[in-house]
Amino acid sequence: MGLQNAATLPAMKTNPKFIFFTDFDGTITMQDSNDFMTDNIGYGYEKRRQGNLDCLTEKVTFRDSFKDMMDSVTKPYSECIQYLVDNIKLDPYFAEFFQWSLANNIPVVVLSSGMEPIIKALLKALIGPDAEKMQVIANFVGARPGKTIDEEGGWEILFQHPESGFGHDKSIELRKYSSLATDVRPTMFYAGDGVSDLSAARETDLLFAKKGHDLISYCAKEDVPFTVFEDWSTILNKCKEIVEGKSTVQDAAREGFEAYKSGAAGV
């Protein structure tokens, strides 16, 4: 890929020195909305968890496992959204982090393997009007032939990158920023927790991986640098240190790997 033109990238319009990219489900939120639907109104926890494990061992692609999960959820789409709005909770420190990012010209970009309408509805309910200041790049939803999305069995997930085993290959968006000319390229942070974040893990300057979750196992196996977070207070404190010049992304990644080796990463 050649050098990207910064003017074409929404998150670059304020010429930020830092950008925070993040997964949504189970990272910004306490629960994964897609797992929650699958476990409670789809085919259940055991089959869903086996699909996650099969992705980690590359027995199945994330795209195919995730489509199988979503196909098991047949309630009308509007009912699915309301069910999630009623049940999904925000990480207790994310709103504070987001306000700090707005005050410090650090755009937050959500890169999700979930569905854009659900994410935007949850962000609006959990954060309020400021949620519109967050760019969301995710998969889509469409009606099945002869049906509407608001009838039983009427919707299906439509992937950003159906040709990719990830369905939504997050590395594609990240590379648009990492390929910017050195004098304008921002420092890139990314936070995630699971198998949908594998494509993003190598493409950022500092990866925050959630304690006790699958992404850490992958990073340790593949020797991908990371730092561990338990909630967004950890992320906020570490980002403040880096933005204020008290630490570097290299320091943070080294500390993260040391935490993993000492058994403090929860895996």
Side-chain angles (χ1 to χ4, degrees):
M1 177 186 283
L3 287 179
Q4 180 80 30
N5 181 357
T8 66
L9 300 173
M12 290 300 296
K13 65 184 178 183
T14 58
N15 299 312
K17 294 182 178 179
F18 302 88
I19 297 181
F20 205 108
F21 299 90
T22 179
D23 176 49
F24 179 75
D25 284 295
T27 300
I28 289 177
T29 57
M30 299 298 288
Q31 313 97 321
D32 183 306
S33 66
N34 305 298
D35 289 355
F36 190 84
M37 282 197 296
T38 305
D39 293 355
N40 292 286
I41 57 175
Y43 57 39
Y45 169 81
E46 289 187 6
K47 188 171 182 181
R48 190 267 300 167
R49 182 59 184 150
Q50 187 59 53
N52 293 158
L53 296 173
D54 288 345
C55 288
L56 281 174
T57 55
E58 299 180 351
K59 291 180 182 175
V60 65
T61 64
F62 176 82
R63 177 198 62 213
D64 292 347
S65 173
F66 192 60
K67 179 167 172 41
D68 198 42
M69 282 170 53
M70 293 298 94
D71 283 349
S72 79
V73 178
T74 60
K75 284 187 178 296
Y77 201 68
S78 57
E79 289 185 24
C80 291
I81 290 179
Q82 189 59 52
Y83 180 64
L84 295 172
V85 167
D86 290 342
N87 286 281
I88 300 300
K89 304 289 185 265
L90 193 70
D91 179 286
Y93 299 98
F94 180 76
E96 182 184 355
F97 170 86
F98 186 47
Q99 291 305 315
W100 172 81
S101 75
L102 289 175
N104 287 275
N105 189 29
I106 302 173
V108 175
V109 180
V110 173
L111 295 179
S112 174
S113 291
M115 290 163 281
E116 190 177 298
I118 283 177
I119 294 166
K120 287 186 172 180
L122 283 169
L123 285 172
K124 182 178 179 181
L126 294 168
I127 295 175
D130 278 346
E132 294 183 5
K133 299 173 184 176
M134 207 180 309
Q135 186 182 1
V136 175
I137 303 171
N139 292 311
F140 311 107
V141 61
R144 293 183 183 276
K147 296 194 173 189
T148 70
I149 63 172
D150 285 326
E151 63 182 288
E152 188 75 17
W155 64 272
E156 63 181 337
I157 188 168
L158 301 177
F159 290 108
Q160 277 266 359
H161 309 120
E163 72 289 347
S164 164
F166 290 106
H168 178 196
D169 184 346
K170 299 178 181 183
S171 68
I172 292 174
E173 189 68 21
L174 291 169
R175 287 187 191 126
K176 293 177 183 177
Y177 292 83
S178 62
S179 66
L180 290 169
T182 307
D183 59 336
V184 296
R185 182 198 184 283
T187 297
M188 298 165 58
F189 301 110
Y190 185 88
D193 69 327
V195 292
S196 74
D197 301 303
L198 302 187
S199 68
R202 295 183 184 276
E203 304 296 336
T204 187
D205 297 310
L206 181 60
L207 172 68
F208 290 93
K210 193 166 188 178
K211 182 176 180 178
H213 287 258
D214 291 335
L215 183 58
I216 288 179
S217 303
Y218 170 83
C219 290
K221 182 179 74 171
E222 299 292 328
D223 200 29
V224 176
F226 64 94
T227 192
V228 181
F229 79 98
E230 232 173 314
D231 56 45
W232 281 78
S233 66
T234 313
I235 294 176
L236 176 58
N237 291 335
K238 186 58 63 179
C239 286
K240 280 182 176 178
E241 288 179 7
I242 292 168
V243 170
E244 293 168 6
K246 298 174 182 176
S247 182
T248 67
V249 291
Q250 293 81 6
D251 291 339
R254 185 175 61 251
E255 291 164 10
F257 193 65
E258 288 170 356
Y260 168 76
K261 287 192 294 183
S262 70
V267 293

